[in-house]
Amino acid sequence: MARTCDGRPMTPSFLSRMPAFITALLLAVSALALPVRAADRDRIEAFLTTTGFDVALDSIALSAESAPRMLGREAGDFGAQWTQLADRIFDTGTMHDMAVAILQETLDQDDLMHAVDFYASDLGQRLVAAENASHMMPDDAGKLEQGKEIFAALVAEGSPRVAYFQRMNDAISSDDSAVRAIEEIQVRFLMAASVAGVLDRPLDEDALRAVLADGRDELRVELRANSLASAAFTYRDFSDEDLRLYTEALEHPQMRRVYELLNAVQHEIMANRFEVLAVAMADLTPGQEL
């Protein structure tokens, strides 16, 4: 398992709220191979609303609570200024504008329309409503615990929903991509904190990556279990036929391309905000310093 800078186990629970992330390289590759027909801002805005990706972006702000744990601390250790700092860095308007700017240059219009056509349907809008509610649900609401119970019951009864959830997870992103993305976010945050003087001692990036790599297999298993549990909870009120249709929609090549890009955008925005947060933490008043 990944560790905090003081050696304690660190579980990035914020990732259970979103689709799995992919590495920053995917974003770079997408930017280098710009589609011939990139979408304009109005279409991107409509796409974000129709697909519910705007709410997924807003939910990134909830991930700020994991930053102190990556340093081996709790948010309360930083005093009253912590909430204000996190709210400022993870401003939803800023993250929204970042996403729109990236998607304007990378999201192909044909792929955009394919995704919008599905999510604008009756089933699509019901799915978006359920996903939006799940994205914004806090960790202490017991979503994962309930989801694990639901999933275990489905396995016990031999429900086809188990296979649907597994296929949906694979269509959105691979387990390895999710693990690599988490590692990259941690590295970028901790190295930024090290350079900013937030930590008691500087970190060696190669050593940090080696430590994270040691926990890769365990983290992969944990993420897979959490993803399936989250799906079981989020889609608990949908019929087997609804889930079959959704699974097949997610497995379409165009939808896979859309999610590959959306995952990359989420990952880049989160990593960027964590880097900015690390630097800003160095400016906390003495009463809130590490």
Side-chain angles (χ1 to χ4, degrees), residues 7-271:
R8 293 192 294 173
M10 192 279 289
T11 302
S13 58
F14 59 87
L15 288 165
S16 65
R17 295 194 180 96
M18 304 179 178
F21 297 96
I22 60 178
T23 64
L25 290 178
L26 287 175
L27 184 61
V29 170
S30 298
L32 290 173
L34 297 181
V36 176
R37 299 196 308 134
D40 59 36
R41 185 180 181 94
D42 288 342
R43 291 196 177 193
I44 294 296
E45 294 284 2
F47 165 83
L48 293 176
T49 302
T50 303
T51 61
F53 188 59
D54 55 342
V55 176
L57 286 172
D58 290 347
S59 71
I60 292 177
L62 299 176
S63 69
E65 66 189 31
S66 68
R69 292 199 296 273
M70 280 194 267
L71 300 174
R73 301 297 181 88
E74 298 296 333
D77 297 342
F78 296 91
Q81 290 188 3
W82 171 255
T83 300
Q84 296 177 349
L85 178 64
D87 288 347
R88 176 168 61 83
I89 300 301
F90 285 83
D91 175 70
T92 56
T94 297
M95 294 189 294
H96 182 92
D97 289 343
M98 291 173 66
V100 170
I102 297 172
L103 292 173
Q104 277 186 276
E105 299 299 326
T106 56
L107 182 57
D108 180 76
Q109 287 193 53
D110 290 339
D111 290 347
L112 178 154
M113 292 308 301
H114 178 85
V116 167
D117 285 345
F118 173 78
Y119 282 110
S121 67
D122 174 70
L123 173 59
Q125 284 300 284
R126 287 192 289 118
L127 288 164
V128 168
E131 290 167 353
N132 286 351
S134 182
H135 284 322
M136 300 307 295
M137 186 173 293
D139 283 340
D140 57 10
K143 177 178 71 174
L144 276 183
E145 289 73 13
Q146 294 181 59
K148 289 178 180 178
E149 292 178 0
I150 294 171
F151 189 78
L154 293 173
V155 172
E157 67 186 47
S159 172
R161 301 166 78 87
V162 173
Y164 292 146
F165 293 148
Q166 292 171 334
R167 288 169 59 188
M168 288 164 60
N169 185 72
D170 292 339
I172 290 172
S173 179
S174 70
D175 295 337
D176 189 61
S177 295
V179 170
R180 299 285 183 168
I182 294 173
E183 290 180 4
E184 198 64 29
I185 290 170
Q186 292 180 71
V187 168
R188 288 175 63 172
F189 172 70
L190 291 172
M191 291 310 301
S194 177
V195 172
V198 175
L199 304 178
D200 293 333
R201 59 186 182 279
L203 292 178
D204 178 82
E205 183 173 341
D206 291 338
L208 174 60
R209 289 185 180 278
V211 170
L212 294 175
D214 286 342
R216 191 172 292 160
D217 291 341
E218 185 179 351
L219 181 58
R220 184 181 292 108
V221 172
E222 180 182 357
L223 286 180
R224 180 76 172 185
N226 286 352
S227 178
L228 294 174
S230 180
F233 178 86
T234 301
Y235 307 115
R236 63 195 183 281
D237 295 328
F238 289 82
S239 69
D240 291 354
E241 178 63 9
D242 288 339
L243 295 179
R244 182 188 69 79
L245 293 172
Y246 194 26
T247 298
E248 293 176 354
L250 292 175
E251 290 176 335
H252 190 283
Q254 284 185 281
M255 195 74 90
R256 285 179 181 268
R257 287 198 299 269
V258 168
Y259 268 95
E260 181 178 83
L261 181 57
L262 295 184
N263 290 339
V265 171
Q266 286 180 317
H267 167 220
E268 178 58 26
I269 291 175
M270 179 176 284

